[in-house]
Amino acid sequence: MVRRIGLPSSLRRSRSSQRDHHGTSIGIGGRSKQGGGGGDGRTTTTPSSSPSATPTKPGGADYTTATATTKAASSSSSPTPDPAELSSSQSSSNGNTLTNEYQIPWEVTYDHTASDGTAATASSSSSAAAAAVVDEANLARRVRSIPSPQYDNDVDPYSDVRERLEQSSLRDKLRFVYHRTQSASDHGAGVQTHTKMQTKMQMKREVNKKKKQKQHDHNHIPFFAAITTYLGYAVLIFIGHVRDVCASIFRQGRYYRSAVSSASSADDATTAASASSDDAASTSDELDDGSSSNNINSNTTNNHTIPSGPYPSDNPATYAPLLKSWENFYTRRLYHRIQDCFNRPIASRPGATIRVLERVSWDGNKTMKVLGRLDNLETWEQREEYTKGQHFVLCQPEDRVSRSCLNLGSYNYLGFADDWDVTCRRGVVSSLTNLPISTSSCRVEYGTTTLHQQVERIVSRFLGKDDAMILNMGFNTNATTIPALMGRGDLLVSDELNHTSIVNGARASGASIRTFRHNDADHLEEILSTAIVMGRPRTRRPWNKIMVIVEGIYSMEGEYCDLRNVVRVCKKYGAYLYLDEAHSIGAMGPTGRGCCEYTGVDPADVDVLMGTFTKSFGGMGGYVAGSREVIDYLRTKCAGSSFHNSLSPVVCQQIISSFKVIMGEDGTDIGKRKLTALRDNSNYFRMRLMDMGLHVLGHFDSPIVPVMLYNPTKIAAFSRECLKRGLAVVVVGFPAVPILMSRARFCISAAHTREDLDRALVEIEEIASLLKLKYNKSTFG
């Protein structure tokens, strides 16, 4: 029997279904540690595993059209599988084999089959023996049997490196997806393993764990990079404070609040009327000389205090400083120095190539202004400097000065911004015939159209869930959904590298929060067991419910979640699981269904699936998918649904059109080709960056490729050098990442060609040599 577990139907924070935390069985919020039904008491019998059985998923999704093939579940008398072969039959962690109901398309990869008929790439097998003892020789042998994916004109642009790409992808998948899987005997899949083999597997797992910790420790900085990074920040902070002191002494500076004021800037009409223009002028002169006032930020006329700026709050004698903190100092003295590297406006679609508008600053980067026309420059020499640039272009309207760049920063994973006229334009434009651009209302009032309902149906069908709810902002999806599900008396356990939207939602919920080390299932298990045994602080009463929150792909690390082990731990301790697939949905898995498909996890084991439409679908907004009871509850209790304006119908149609392309329901194979191109482009780009000797974070098959910069001076230098060479990249510093972990983040698209990536790689290698970034080859970069 297979458990289908959802949140309690009412989601009332009650302890009636939870045993005492000293008991032998712990069920948080209705889930029991033992097998059986979920919070609503339902159990589902596994259907027949015969080939004629019609595969179905929760929510009525029909998966009979899946292109990949699967194997039948192995019998109890099956011999031990080939170490290099990963069977496509999956077993749940409680010993129940998942049959064909859950094998299409979750159990498959890319239709790659070896000559002997066995699966050639890692699918959702539960065989820990296969995942643990695969050596390099077997890995290479199996990879060579994988046929090349199909491209336009049947020409594989990566044919010369195909074997290496597949080998790197498979190695990472075996290491980071299956490395902590329980032994085969624990799964009851019929795989017989000898004690000697189990010991060998255990040793392999320990070695892999140590290698992972050594190679992917985000806190590990090379000694030289650490020293120079600390020194760089120390110099910046010291100089910043010196300049603040000098500004106070000499009463001038970029951030010095001028004491010059006029009657028009008075805080009320009475003060303005009582202060004559002559008095105001003389007082202003006195303040400029610094001889008649001890308060340089205010002006006094006729016993009335006049604010020093255009707003009443500029008077420091009345108002406390609004911005006085470390973040304000960081913004003024560090961020503004490199402000030109952020918030760059564009004048085109965010496709594989992009037009970046040129900006100028007349106050030392304190403020940035779009240049506009060439006529806005003062001299001919300045205009000639732009026009002679290799990437100079004029864009409409008004012939604004811009720069044509290769786009390595936008979330255009599947390239819908490039072929929008072919894939989505017709449906999106036609939606304007009957529906407005905005409904000007929230979903619970008059903000629901037929397109909103259609999007929710297609999302639930795509994910294999009962129902789904869409919201008009991805950030708000987490920030408003989590407080609706959790509250006081509940416990949230969050990965330490979760997105700030999750952090904000967790803090707003009022629930207690614990964090576990990134992708560390052992630490997660330790926190859950301690929380259940100890209960709430002070009272020691049991928690109402516990929820674990992780991401499919971590946006600043490029790593995918260790979902199999997280699911195993959550099942063991009866904790609910919330999976944020903002960057993984549409970008991972053979059919784009995200981290669940890629790691071989049944989506029924994830209680709440969240994602956004801004990355792979060319739209905006987000979704939450789960059981029908949970979604019905959220429609009325989630602030993003009850109070926020609904998603634009035009965007809804864009989402529908992109889903049809990805699922092949448009009658073409464009979606399949997009997924293949994204995977190959990402793996090739990552492989070449690693060959350069750069510190590259993340895993193969992830479209996010971060490269570590560390030193604060290299943030601006890397971004400016890339822009000079026609590369639009994203550099990331504090507070988006820890202050010592600055990095450049590349986002790869299916629209990129190998020629695009090769040109970018040549430029990046030149920049890396110039800025000394090759920390894997030299201590000094």
Side-chain angles (χ1 to χ4, degrees), residues 383-423:
R383 297 171 191 153
E384 190 176 18
E385 184 179 352
Y386 280 98
T387 56
K388 286 188 175 181
Q390 180 180 358
H391 308 286
F392 167 79
V393 291
L394 294 176
C395 59
Q396 299 299 326
E398 300 178 356
D399 291 333
R400 292 176 294 174
V401 180
S402 61
R403 191 178 305 217
S404 179
C405 299
L406 179 64
N407 184 8
L408 296 173
S410 297
Y411 299 136
N412 182 36
Y413 291 154
L414 293 184
F416 282 109
D418 295 85
D419 56 11
W420 183 81
D421 292 321
V422 176
T423 56

Side-chain angles (χ1 to χ4, degrees), residues 42-61:
R42 295 180 299 168
T43 57
T44 303
T45 304
T46 304
S48 172
S49 60
S50 64
S52 60
T54 302
T56 59
K57 294 292 292 181

